[in-house]
Structure formats: C-alpha cells, structure tokens
Amino acid sequence: LVSRRAVPDGDSMVTLAFVRLEGNRLVRSGMEATSPQQPLWPSSSPLHAVWPDKVLYFDSSLGLQHATRFSTNELFTSDQWGYAVYRKTGTGIDIHSAQGEKLATHTASAWPRAVGSPAWLLLYTGDQAGLAFVDRKTGAQAGPYQQLASLITSAALADGEQAVVFGMVDGSLEKFSIRDAKTLWRKQPPEGQLAVVKGLAVDQNGESILVVSGSRPETMTRYSGSGTLIWSTPTGGDLRTQIMVHASRRHAASQTARGLVLFDLENGDITRHLEPGLPSGARVTWTSFAETGSGEIHASVSAGAYTAVYHLDQNGNTKNCTILPTPWAEISLADKASHIIALATADGVSISRHLESAP
C-alpha cells in the first residue's frame, strides 16, 4: 500500500495511516513499512481508542494489541494503560492491562475511574462524596476512603502520581497525598454567584493546576503545586455542567457552549477562541486539546453529529480547520515524537505527522 502524501494548502500535516471500523472488522489503509527506529506510533504506551461499547489498543506499528466489546450490563473506564470493568449490579471491579490480561479484582460498592496513571485507579463512593485509590496491579486499596462533606466533581493526579487534586460541588479545591493519606491543602477558587468546581487539569510538567469554577463570572484559575494562586481570568462562558479542561506546555483551554477558549499558561491572558459555528442549537459536548514540543496546537470541538478539528501554528493562527461527520474526536500525541498525532473518531483512527518533521 502507498501512503497518502497530499497536504492541504496552508497545512503541514501528512496522513500516514488509517484504521477504519467496519462492523467487527478493522480495515487498514495507507500503512507505511515501520521499523523499531521509525514506528508509526513512537510512544511508551499503546495507542488507546474508545467507543461507547468497546476499547481497542494498538502497538507501535498499529497492529491490534487488544480489543474487547462490553455488554449492555457492563460499564467500563479506560486509559492508555488498561481498563476496568464493573456492572450495574454487583461489587466486583475487574482490572485489565492494555494487553487484555486480567490483573486483579477489587470488591467495593464504588465507581472506578481511570485517569492516565499506570499505577492507580480512583474509586468514588456511590454518592460521590468519598474517594479512594486502588493499585492497578494488585487490586489493593491504598488506605481508607477520604470522606468529604460535598460531592466530587473533578479529579486529577499530581506530584508524580503521589497526590490527587479534586474539586467539589461546594466550590472547594483540595490536594490529597496518596502516600501519607492526608490533606496537603484546601482552597476556595473564585466562585461568582455559584460555588462549584466544574473542571480541572494538571499541566504536562505537573507544576500547576488549572481550575474552572463559578458562574457569572465563570473563571479559569491557575494554582502552583503548593496551592499558591498564580492568576485568575474570567472565561466569558457560563456553562452549568461539568466542563472539559485541558493543560499543556504553554496553554490551557476550557470548554464553552460554542467551542474552546485558550489561555496563556504563563499570565492567564485569553489568546484565542475556537468557535467553529457547528449546527444551530447544538451545544458542544466534547473537546480535546494537544500541544506539540514546537508549540503547534491540535484541538477538536464536537457538537451534534459533527466535529471541527483545528491545527494552529506557534502564534495561534489557523493552519487548517476540517469539519468531520463524527459526533466526537479525540486527539493524542505520541510522547516520544511530538510531531506524531493520532485522531480517533467514530469511524476509526488516523495517524498524521508534521510535514517539516518527516524524514
């Protein structure tokens, strides 16, 4: 097969491969010959793609490493390191690796959540007012539940996965040490007229925490890892639901009703709004965001049955915007070669590369 080399005007991406879902079959096209020195997906973890009823893992040459489909009675949570399956009735949580191996079973009346950690799963109590941590390899729980006076709305790991930051419906933000089983600090972000943490993320360097909270005004706030307030900026939005928040090397981004708003990570200035004008009356339901080592941005905004996929240069100018007939799209970067981008949609997975980085 011959890989496609056509590049749209003004863009600098070349598609290397596409894996399409057709029923229960995977149809591959544009596959290049690969080698250990130049794999299609040069990453330390498998390429992870999720659909409402199944999860797939691909190796560095885009060979299928593992695939599984879930029944209507099964719920699951997954990331690049594996997945956990639990059921609408019962207390068993089965923990699997990305290769499909069953590692452990944890028994608890709780809801697991995979958060991109090779070591931990988070556990929420049924009322979402308690949080615990489970070792993915053994299924053992690390200490008792952290019982809270309010419902947890968002959580992310920090400090090399030795701590978790979580926000709550009463507007409070807390950092908790997994190792020492104690609260490190607690803050109350700007809340406007409605005290609630709607979303949070930890940046790629693990040095700061980005939080969207409040209403009228809704604000994006950056804290240091020690809880020091660095900046706080009104987003201009006012969603009353959970918000997707993204943090990268130089930017942060938060979901709005119409798209994404981008912030300068250093000073909190709004640098760009990505509002593709998707179908009238359709609210944004999914966003993804990734920044390469050279500072180029790839982002997706989904609403209704369509998704806009953006490629921005280092100055935030649009190099390309493509509208795809898919209700969601997830952008991922290979961690050892940040010019390699994966785009997962309802139809399949494509792998692209910055043209200036091509051999």
Side-chain angles (χ1 to χ4, degrees):
L1 293 174
V2 179
S3 63
R4 286 194 295 141
R5 291 286 177 182
V7 180
D9 292 340
D11 199 7
S12 60
M13 300 297 298
V14 56
T15 299
L16 303 178
F18 189 78
V19 181
R20 184 183 301 278
L21 289 173
E22 292 185 0
N24 292 324
R25 294 193 309 131
L26 295 178
V27 180
R28 305 165 189 274
S29 61
M31 302 289 286
E32 286 190 342
T34 62
S35 68
Q37 293 75 32
Q38 193 179 49
L40 275 171
W41 185 248
S43 174
S44 61
S45 60
L47 177 60
H48 162 238
V50 183
W51 285 266
D53 63 342
K54 54 185 169 289
V55 59
L56 280 70
Y57 293 91
F58 298 94
D59 61 23
S60 60
S61 63
L62 286 197
L64 182 63
Q65 184 170 285
H66 177 66
T68 188
R69 185 185 295 270
F70 304 100
S71 71
T72 55
N73 189 48
E74 292 178 320
L75 303 172
F76 72 99
T77 177
S78 65
D79 57 22
Q80 68 269 37
W81 303 107
Y83 59 97
V85 185
Y86 54 111
R87 292 154 189 84
K88 296 176 182 178
T89 58
T91 58
I93 300 170
D94 294 332
I95 304 170
H96 297 258
S97 70
Q99 292 74 34
E101 177 188 2
K102 185 177 176 181
L103 301 175
T105 295
H106 180 78
T107 301
S109 299
W111 304 87
R113 182 185 173 197
V115 288
S117 165
W120 302 105
L121 289 173
L122 300 188
L123 280 183
Y124 292 88
T125 56
D127 59 3
Q128 285 193 237
L131 186 67
F133 317 94
V134 170
D135 187 303
R136 296 181 81 142
K137 293 182 180 179
T138 66
Q141 185 172 315
Y145 279 88
Q146 172 77 352
Q147 293 295 335
L148 308 167
S150 186
L151 303 183
I152 300 168
T153 57
S154 306
L157 292 171
D159 295 351
E161 303 181 3
Q162 295 303 307
V164 63
V165 180
F166 50 88
M168 290 171 277
V169 74
D170 67 356
S172 57
L173 179 73
E174 185 168 319
K175 187 173 184 180
F176 182 81
S177 170
I178 300 174
R179 182 183 59 187
D180 300 325
K182 68 176 183 179
T183 297
L184 300 175
W185 51 258
R186 185 181 289 110
K187 300 290 180 180
Q188 195 77 26
E191 61 185 46
Q193 297 182 26
L194 176 65
V196 61
V197 173
K198 303 178 185 179
L200 64 85
V202 176
D203 73 16
Q204 290 183 358
N205 299 318
E207 297 173 352
S208 53
I209 301 153
L210 287 303
V211 183
V212 173
S213 62
S215 179
R216 303 181 190 174
E218 175 186 277
T219 59
M220 169 78 89
T221 305
R222 179 187 175 193
Y223 291 93
S224 71
S226 62
T228 301
L229 176 66
I230 299 175
W231 52 256
S232 186
T233 303
T235 67
D238 194 26
L239 287 177
R240 300 298 180 92
T241 59
Q242 191 171 27
I243 288 176
M244 301 186 79
V245 180
H246 312 279
S248 60
R249 292 173 173 85
R250 304 170 193 169
H251 293 86
S254 69
Q255 174 189 351
T256 68
R258 297 179 297 278
L260 274 172
V261 55
L262 275 56
F263 302 82
D264 185 302
L265 194 60
E266 183 66 27
N267 56 32
D269 291 346
I270 292 177
T271 61
R272 183 73 194 271
H273 289 85
L274 301 181
E275 297 180 352
L278 292 169
S280 176
R283 303 196 73 176
V284 170
T285 54
W286 186 267
T287 60
S288 67
F289 183 87
E291 184 178 357
T292 70
S294 62
E296 297 202 357
I297 289 171
H298 298 268
S300 69
V301 177
S302 304
Y306 296 92
T307 295
V309 179
Y310 288 88
H311 179 198
L312 310 181
D313 65 18
Q314 292 93 335
N315 298 315
N317 301 312
T318 302
K319 302 184 76 169
N320 184 266
C321 179
T322 304
I323 305 297
L324 301 176
T326 177
W328 60 270
E330 177 72 20
I331 292 171
S332 303
L333 293 179
D335 58 5
K336 290 186 178 178
S338 61
H339 55 278
I340 303 291
I341 295 96
L343 179 68
T345 70
D347 296 324
V349 180
S350 63
I351 305 293
S352 300
R353 176 174 59 204
H354 284 292
L355 188 62
E356 59 268 27
S357 300

